[in-house]
Amino acid sequence: MKKVFVLLCLVSIAWISACSTTEPAKPTGGGGESTAKKKGPSDEQVAAVKEEYMSGKRNAASNVPLPGSCTVGQVWEVKFTKDGKEVTETLQVAHRIGRNLVVEHMTADGVVVAYEIDRNRSAEQGNVKRAWVGKKGWDPYEIKTASGWALPDAGTLTQGWTAEPFADVEVAGKKWSGTCYGKGDSKIWVAERGYFNGIIKATGSEGEWMLVKADFKEKPKVYLTNWEFVKPAA
């Protein structure tokens, strides 16, 4: 179950480390940092993470699970236990660049990774066209994506597990129907109309992973700023 939970936690930035080397990407949209005091990691900590991306020690995912009806304003927040503390992570569709959607991922460590999703790309190409990193209140800073690396999809996580339908299970103030997958003492509930990978709950010997918010906001509060200045890729 520990391996499953590592994957389920939306691949927190602290756990992603790629071996390939890449050339530094030029900042898109300014790359500036706010000097205002905010909760979360220090500017120095986020700058260190950014440098790991720039040096090739880390790369952003090349695929992000996305539902067919996804649009700007959808928010998906989960909670789980990490290092003995209860933490939250959030995925939200924050912006649109042309026809592409920008998904912001606020990790448990307070670092934001954002992805530009191109639905016209094949699975082999990966649906992530560009990616950025930063801290809440910063401008997006463009980073490289990793070939073949993807945020976990429920379909691949549950291969070889038993499957049973469920209906009207209440999680995050909503009732969901879908399929519950099981293996040993581990269970994963995947909702038919869930956002992103659709996982609303997971339980096992390592603890519990739970959806706490599935919301839609016409004007989402973006984590990274000045998206309007990020131009479409050539």
Side-chain angles (χ1 to χ4, degrees):
M1 186 62 188
K2 185 174 183 179
K3 181 179 179 181
V4 172
F5 266 85
V6 169
L7 291 171
L8 283 176
C9 295
L10 303 183
V11 193
S12 176
I13 200 168
W15 296 319
I16 300 177
S17 180
C19 297
S20 61
T21 58
T22 57
E23 292 297 321
K26 295 180 180 179
T28 301
E33 294 97 16
S34 170
T35 57
K37 297 294 183 182
K38 300 178 183 295
K39 293 182 179 179
S42 67
D43 287 358
E44 291 76 15
Q45 289 172 318
V46 180
V49 171
K50 184 175 76 174
E51 289 306 314
E52 289 189 2
Y53 277 105
M54 300 306 294
S55 68
K57 290 183 178 180
R58 302 188 188 197
N59 281 315
S62 59
N63 265 291
V64 174
L66 210 64
S69 60
C70 205
T71 188
V72 173
Q74 285 181 286
V75 180
W76 192 255
E77 182 178 304
V78 300
K79 69 177 181 180
F80 55 95
T81 300
K82 180 184 177 185
D83 299 329
K85 297 180 180 180
E86 187 175 275
V87 296
T88 63
E89 292 205 346
T90 304
L91 286 171
Q92 66 174 8
V93 185
H95 183 63
R96 186 184 295 275
I97 300 176
R99 295 183 178 181
N100 297 338
L101 297 175
V102 173
V103 175
E104 291 182 326
H105 176 197
M106 171 66 79
T107 72
D109 302 307
V111 178
V112 180
V113 183
Y115 306 91
E116 180 183 359
I117 309 299
D118 182 352
R119 294 191 180 188
N120 292 322
R121 290 193 170 199
S122 66
E124 292 76 18
Q125 290 175 300
N127 65 4
V128 176
K129 188 169 187 176
R130 289 183 291 178
W132 298 265
V133 70
K135 177 182 174 181
K136 187 175 181 180
W138 286 18
D139 289 356
Y141 197 94
E142 189 169 353
I143 56 177
K144 293 289 186 178
T145 60
S147 177
W149 179 254
L151 293 185
D153 184 274
T156 56
L157 280 177
T158 55
Q159 288 180 2
W161 293 42
T162 62
E164 293 184 5
F166 68 84
D168 296 330
V169 171
E170 188 167 344
V171 176
K174 301 178 185 293
K175 290 186 177 181
W176 307 90
S177 298
T179 304
C180 179
Y181 297 90
K183 178 183 285 187
D185 61 355
S186 303
K187 288 186 176 181
I188 299 176
W189 285 259
V190 182
E192 293 172 349
R193 296 185 179 182
Y195 305 167
F196 305 104
N197 61 14
I199 300 173
I200 59 171
K201 184 178 179 181
T203 60
S205 59
E206 297 296 321
E208 184 176 72
W209 185 96
M210 179 75 71
L211 171 70
V212 293
K213 182 185 292 185
D215 202 0
F216 175 81
K217 299 179 180 180
E218 290 190 8
K219 294 183 178 181
K221 294 182 178 180
V222 299
Y223 294 127
L224 302 180
T225 61
N226 294 322
W227 280 117
E228 65 272 20
F229 296 110
V230 178
K231 303 299 182 182

